[in-house]
Amino acid sequence: MYFRVMKVLQFPLARITIGFVLGLLVAYYVQLPVQVVSSILILTFIVFGLLFYFGKNKNSIYFGVATYLLSFIIGISNQIVHTDFFQKSNYIHDSTLFEKPHFINLTIREKLKNSSYSDRYIAVINRVDKKDQTGKILLNIPKDSASHELEIGTSLLIKGILTKNKPPNNPNQFDYSRYLENKQIYAQLYADISEIKTGSKIQKNVWYYSSKLRARILQNLEKNNFNKTELNVALALILGQRQEISADIIRDYQYAGAVHILSVSGLHIGFILLFVTFLLKPIPNTRRGSFIKLIIILLSLSSFAIIAGLAPSVVRSVTMFSFVALGSHLRRSVNIYHTLLVSILLILLVEPSFLFDVGFQLSYVAVFFIIWLQPLLTTLWNPKTKFSKYAWDILTVSFAAQIGTLPLSIYYFHQFPGLFFITNLLIIPMLSIIMALGVVVMILAAFNIIPIFLSQLLEWSIYYLNKTINTIASFEQFIIQDIPLHFYVLISSYLLLFTMIIWFKKPAFNKLVMVLISIIIFQISYFKIYWNTTTEQELIIFNTKRNSLIAERKAGDITVYAKDSILKTAHKSSVLKSYCIGNLSSIKHKEELQNYIYFNGKKIFVLDSSGVYPKNNNPDILLLTQSSKINLDRLLITMKPKIVIADASNFKNIQRNWKASCEKHKIPFHATAEKGFYKLN
């Protein structure tokens, strides 16, 4: 198997794909001038063309270098072309949109999961005032009794101000701003329903028809009294729509190690391919019959991808299995590694942003380790019965996927479900039945001819699936949470994992040396992070709504300063939990917030709601909390602080007055509600 993988890397397309992906990464992390990239692309293409037409040996090192360099430059240019930020017509280049109201004409593209306070949509801008502009935004409409769900394709006219995506308000938190930018969304728009004018025309495109078909299926299933909880899970399992699933259901699936089945991926598409192939068995395997089968399979998979909303995991899986079906039709042995490479290349050519999608990454890593590692695991035991062989195959596939995705999962989610193997052993047989039954029910529901007994059978199947997941998730002692993993450790852990698997497949001294080198690199990576943590000292003033929260970190020990009511629940605070994980630290002390805090020779005076302060006091930092009713101009003259900080326990209108006073006295002002947390080293 090792030599097979090495042979795959000798395949020209493998190197081209690697070069292309490296180009995408360079363009993503380094802002390169468009003119420079264009010039290099033209020059590289000319060199490649000359070597192709006039070179005598296409296997020469010069032609190879030119080919891979060209794929690298194409990767860079492809990322730039598909990034809306570089389009001159994109709204991000019009600063006035973020300063004063404009009439914005937009079209609803996608419905997102609602927040606690608003309905959320992805919308595409068509015009601003009378000027044509482009780009996607996140539209937020507050919930009220008059609000109703907007139809995909609906045109809206809204007078409002765009709000740029803000970085995380607190350290080590999920960067939602970066997440939106990966989806080419650079701003949000908040609008009341009274400020929205709905257009008479509906933009009828693939997203519109996909949404209408899903709505028709949903409506017909609801007519059959399909239970709401099970219906939402069914839509996620079969159509990839997770918007309405409750947080409790998602948490259960996460704790049980089965959250991946709520996002349509290779597992689901594989079931659909097998099901469609089974239905097409009566068609003879003649040349014409095989061609008809291929067309039906490709149309079925493509239709499913469109209905599921063209999510990254769906597109990846459909593309890969389409190549598998094509290879089968051509009567050729399909090299699954080549299939993966071709699907990666095609998908990223069309949508390079998928490379930075977590689901896309986890999906490809899982598939790779299943086809690479699972054959090795199967050799550890040779079952004698069909049932034990079936169970062993499920376990080895689960372990291969889990081993491959473990570092990436911990890096993104900081937890590990210890009972994942039991979950997969129980739910995969159930899922195969649910997928086959669900596809039939969804097709019949689209035509409103669904028999009640079929919809009830699907409902009961999902009910027992949820009960099984809930039971496994209830064993919380097997769920390892709050696991820290930094980027350098992530890379070194994959290096160690690869070298160990290669050595296990065919032990040799040189491979053992590589394993030992990988272990040393892993240790160096870990100790570098650990050393940085143990030698650091910092004080953080967090941005927490209506509350004051301060943390002082010395090495791995954290002292929390807050009100007594906040200190009692400090271990449950998501803000503190993220900070602890990101800094390999833990809360050692809790102290009630007083008027004075001393850190590294600097004096911090905390002014609370009492408004009382000493006159003969010159703090380095003045922290304003609880909307203190004071004359800040007089206080600044008396105290003369070097900087003034206002946390999120203060009212916004008061903070505006404080900011004006600080500007008048030429003293820096930092409002955590506006600029995020404040860090003092």
Side-chain angles (χ1 to χ4, degrees):
M1 183 62 71
Y2 167 72
F3 293 105
R4 188 178 177 186
V5 174
M6 292 300 104
K7 189 175 179 181
V8 169
L9 292 177
Q10 297 298 321
F11 183 48
L13 186 60
R15 301 181 189 178
I16 290 172
T17 303
I18 292 171
F20 179 78
V21 170
L22 288 175
L24 295 180
L25 291 171
V26 169
Y28 180 79
Y29 289 106
V30 182
Q31 292 282 337
L32 297 171
V34 177
Q35 296 82 357
V36 173
V37 173
S38 301
S39 302
I40 296 175
L41 177 63
I42 293 171
L43 180 62
T44 308
F45 189 79
I46 291 172
V47 172
F48 173 81
L50 292 173
L51 289 172
F52 180 81
Y53 285 107
F54 299 107
K56 296 180 180 179
N57 183 10
K58 297 296 187 295
N59 294 320
S60 68
I61 188 173
Y62 302 109
F63 184 75
V65 169
T67 302
Y68 305 134
L69 181 60
L70 181 61
S71 66
F72 175 74
I73 301 300
I74 289 175
I76 295 176
S77 58
N78 191 63
Q79 177 69 31
I80 292 174
V81 168
H82 285 88
T83 301
D84 290 349
F85 180 85
F86 294 102
Q87 308 301 320
K88 291 182 179 180
S89 61
N90 191 270
Y91 63 82
I92 195 67
H93 303 298
D94 187 351
S95 60
T96 63
L97 285 173
F98 305 94
E99 298 167 356
K100 59 183 181 180
H102 289 265
F103 285 100
I104 303 172
N105 179 281
L106 50 82
T107 303
I108 300 296
R109 169 66 61 81
E110 182 182 345
K111 176 75 172 72
L112 300 179
K113 188 177 180 67
N114 296 336
S115 68
S116 302
Y117 307 102
S118 60
D119 297 326
R120 305 189 309 148
Y121 302 86
I122 292 178
V124 179
I125 290 180
N126 303 315
R127 286 184 304 281
V128 176
D129 296 328
K130 294 183 179 180
K131 181 182 178 183
D132 289 341
Q133 289 199 326
T134 61
K136 292 189 290 187
I137 62 167
L138 184 61
L139 175 63
N140 300 272
I141 303 175
K143 292 180 179 177
D144 58 37
S145 57
S147 64
H148 62 280
E149 188 171 313
L150 296 172
E151 190 175 17
I152 303 301
T154 302
S155 295
L156 304 175
L157 182 63
I158 303 173
K159 186 177 182 180
I161 302 175
L162 293 184
T163 303
K164 287 186 178 180
N165 300 329
K166 293 182 179 179
N169 285 322
N170 291 298
N172 308 112
Q173 281 190 327
F174 172 67
D175 194 342
Y176 189 60
S177 171
R178 193 62 177 251
Y179 171 80
L180 289 177
E181 287 181 8
N182 287 340
K183 294 181 176 294
Q184 314 289 330
I185 300 172
Y186 304 109
Q188 301 189 45
L189 177 61
Y190 298 86
D192 291 322
I193 195 71
S194 58
E195 300 173 341
I196 299 174
K197 292 183 179 179
T198 305
S200 57
K201 290 185 178 180
I202 300 289
Q203 189 179 95
K204 297 183 179 180
N205 51 27
V206 64
W207 287 276
Y208 168 80
Y209 289 110
S210 172
S211 173
K212 291 292 285 185
L213 183 55
R214 289 197 301 269
R216 180 180 174 83
I217 291 171
L218 177 61
Q219 184 180 15
N220 291 333
L221 287 172
E222 287 176 338
K223 272 198 241 176
N224 278 26
N225 297 318
F226 208 109
N227 184 276
K228 189 69 175 175
T229 300
E230 280 72 43
L231 178 56
N232 290 335
V233 174
L235 293 174
L237 289 173
I238 301 158
L239 298 182
Q241 303 300 307
R242 295 176 51 174
Q243 292 92 330
E244 302 301 326
I245 298 183
S246 69
D248 291 338
I249 293 287
I250 291 178
R251 187 192 63 232
D252 284 346
Y253 276 77
Q254 287 174 337
Y255 285 2
V259 71
H260 60 281
I261 74 171
L262 293 178
S263 299
V264 176
S265 61
L267 182 64
H268 304 71
I269 305 301
F271 280 136
I272 292 173
L273 178 60
L274 290 174
F275 181 64
V276 174
T277 304
F278 173 76
L279 294 178
L280 297 176
K281 268 191 174 182
I283 300 177
N285 286 325
T286 61
R287 177 178 292 183
R288 185 176 180 181
S290 296
F291 182 73
I292 293 172
K293 284 183 180 181
L294 175 66
I295 296 301
I296 294 174
I297 288 171
L298 294 180
L299 287 175
S300 300
L301 295 180
S302 301
S303 301
F304 179 83
I306 292 171
I307 294 171
L310 297 173
S313 59
V314 179
V315 172
R316 188 274 307 167
S317 302
V318 166
T319 304
M320 187 181 71
F321 280 103
S322 295
F323 276 100
V324 171
L326 183 60
S328 178
H329 168 70
L330 296 174
R331 303 287 198 276
R332 294 179 180 176
S333 176
V334 180
N335 187 313
I336 191 65
Y337 295 106
H338 293 174
T339 302
L340 282 174
L341 289 169
V342 171
S343 63
I344 289 174
L345 189 58
L346 286 178
I347 291 169
L348 296 182
L349 272 169
V350 176
E351 191 54 75
S353 64
F354 280 4
L355 179 62
F356 309 101
D357 182 88
V358 177
F360 183 87
Q361 295 170 13
L362 288 172
S363 186
Y364 263 108
V365 170
V367 171
F368 173 78
F369 273 87
I370 286 172
I371 62 178
W372 186 44
L373 179 58
Q374 195 258 351
L376 174 64
L377 297 178
T378 56
T379 62
L380 299 177
W381 181 47
N382 186 23
K384 302 300 181 184
T385 64
K386 285 187 177 180
F387 175 77
S388 58
K389 187 178 187 307
Y390 176 73
W392 181 239
D393 285 342
I394 292 176
L395 281 175
T396 53
V397 167
S398 301
F399 272 104
Q402 198 70 49
I403 289 170
T405 58
L406 180 61
L408 207 56
S409 297
I410 293 176
Y411 177 73
Y412 284 119
F413 307 115
H414 305 293
Q415 67 178 26
F416 173 69
L419 297 178
F420 72 90
F421 56 96
I422 295 178
T423 302
N424 285 291
L425 192 62
L426 294 175
I427 68 169
I428 286 180
M430 297 174 68
L431 188 62
S432 59
I433 296 170
I434 290 171
M435 287 299 298
L437 183 59
V439 169
V440 173
V441 169
M442 296 296 171
I443 292 172
L444 294 176
F447 296 98
N448 197 20
I449 54 174
I450 174 174
I452 293 178
F453 81 92
L454 278 181
S455 65
Q456 287 182 341
L457 187 58
L458 178 61
E459 181 184 336
W460 294 337
S461 301
I462 294 175
Y463 171 79
Y464 286 111
L465 174 67
N466 289 343
K467 290 293 287 184
T468 303
I469 293 293
N470 178 260
T471 301
I472 298 172
S474 65
F475 294 96
E476 295 191 18
Q477 62 270 31
F478 292 97
I479 303 164
I480 306 171
Q481 295 180 302
D482 304 335
I483 309 171
L485 189 70
H486 284 254
F487 182 74
Y488 295 133
V489 180
L490 170 70
I491 299 301
S492 59
S493 63
Y494 269 115
L495 177 63
L496 176 59
L497 186 59
F498 271 89
T499 55
M500 286 181 67
I501 293 173
I502 290 170
W503 179 73
F504 274 118
K505 282 180 178 291
K506 195 170 183 179
F509 177 75
N510 60 332
K511 295 175 185 176
L512 181 60
V513 170
M514 293 302 298
V515 172
L516 296 175
I517 293 173
S518 300
I519 292 173
I520 293 171
I521 293 173
F522 179 83
Q523 291 175 328
I524 291 172
S525 301
Y526 178 80
F527 284 118
K528 180 181 184 299
I529 300 298
Y530 181 77
W531 174 259
N532 290 342
T533 302
T534 55
T535 55
E536 286 178 346
Q537 292 186 21
E538 63 184 19
L539 185 137
I540 303 290
I541 299 174
F542 293 99
N543 180 62
T544 54
K545 287 185 178 179
R546 297 183 293 276
N547 289 301
S548 299
L549 181 63
I550 300 173
E552 180 183 355
R553 181 171 67 86
K554 293 182 178 179
D557 297 340
I558 294 176
T559 301
V560 178
Y561 301 93
K563 287 184 179 179
D564 187 57
S565 58
I566 303 298
L567 294 177
K568 289 178 181 178
T569 58
H571 64 286
K572 295 181 180 179
S573 169
S574 60
V575 171
L576 288 174
K577 190 178 289 187
S578 298
Y579 181 67
C580 290
I581 293 172
N583 293 281
L584 305 178
S585 307
S586 59
I587 299 173
K588 295 296 183 181
H589 307 285
K590 300 176 184 178
E591 296 184 13
E592 190 162 358
L593 186 60
Q594 304 294 329
N595 290 115
Y596 286 98
I597 298 175
Y598 295 89
F599 178 77
N600 278 359
K602 293 185 178 179
K603 182 166 60 175
I604 304 169
F605 180 76
V606 182
L607 184 64
D608 54 27
S609 58
S610 67
V612 178
Y613 60 92
K615 292 183 179 179
N616 299 320
N617 183 29
N618 298 106
D620 297 285
I621 298 172
L622 172 62
L623 175 59
L624 303 173
T625 68
Q626 303 171 18
S627 301
S628 305
K629 295 180 180 179
I630 42 103
N631 185 324
L632 187 60
D633 291 288
R634 187 185 306 158
L635 187 150
L636 294 177
I637 293 172
T638 303
M639 285 194 164
K640 298 179 181 178
K642 295 177 182 177
I643 184 172
V644 175
I645 301 170
D647 66 18
S649 66
N650 302 289
F651 295 125
K652 289 186 177 180
N653 58 337
I654 294 178
Q655 291 186 53
R656 284 194 289 268
N657 296 333
W658 288 344
K659 184 178 181 180
S661 296
C662 287
E663 288 176 349
K664 183 167 64 175
H665 292 274
K666 297 181 180 179
I667 296 175
F669 179 77
H670 183 104
T672 62
E674 179 185 351
K675 299 179 180 179
F677 68 95
Y678 181 83
K679 181 167 74 172
L680 184 64
N681 294 111

